[in-house]
Amino acid sequence: MDAVPGGACVEIEDVLHDRLPDVVEAVVLARPDGLPLPVLATRDGTLHRDAWRRAVADLPPLGEPALLPLDRLPLTATGKVRRQELRDRLLGGAPAPGTGRWT
């Protein structure tokens, strides 16, 4: 699971959905050497910077958001974002932080 210092990416995504009503999809991709990349799809394809700053003021530090049209997000047949495919597209396949080992 993607995680960042101070929280899980999925938790941050939920907060972004709650605080930014125009966001129809939010994905936060952790990076091993940099700020997490928020990827957003909004109703009208824009993001109001003041609303963004207010929404993330008390969250762990995030990079500048990438805006994508909803139809450009890789989705499963059930509408879930294919995180690894999105990571491959936007981060050149950079692995998520961590070893991938559960034990």
Side-chain angles (χ1 to χ4, degrees):
M1 166 167 44
D2 275 339
V4 297
C9 291
V10 173
E11 292 171 328
I12 295 169
E13 294 164 8
D14 286 344
V15 170
L16 294 175
H17 278 284
D18 288 344
R19 294 181 181 176
L20 297 165
D22 288 339
V23 169
V24 293
E25 189 61 70
V27 180
V28 176
L29 301 174
R31 297 188 241 199
D33 56 355
L35 292 174
L37 175 65
V39 182
L40 307 174
T42 63
R43 294 184 199 292
D44 66 0
T46 65
L47 179 65
H48 301 282
R49 293 297 171 178
D50 289 338
W52 171 254
R53 282 190 286 278
R54 285 190 304 275
V56 300
D58 62 343
L59 296 179
L62 299 171
E64 280 297 307
L67 284 177
L68 288 180
L70 188 58
D71 65 355
R72 296 258 335 270
L73 288 176
L75 303 176
T76 66
T78 59
K80 294 183 177 108
V81 174
R82 295 178 187 266
R83 297 176 78 84
Q84 186 58 51
E85 187 175 334
L86 188 61
R87 176 179 295 286
D88 291 345
R89 283 189 200 173
L90 299 179
L91 300 177
T99 64
R101 295 181 58 195
W102 291 96
T103 59

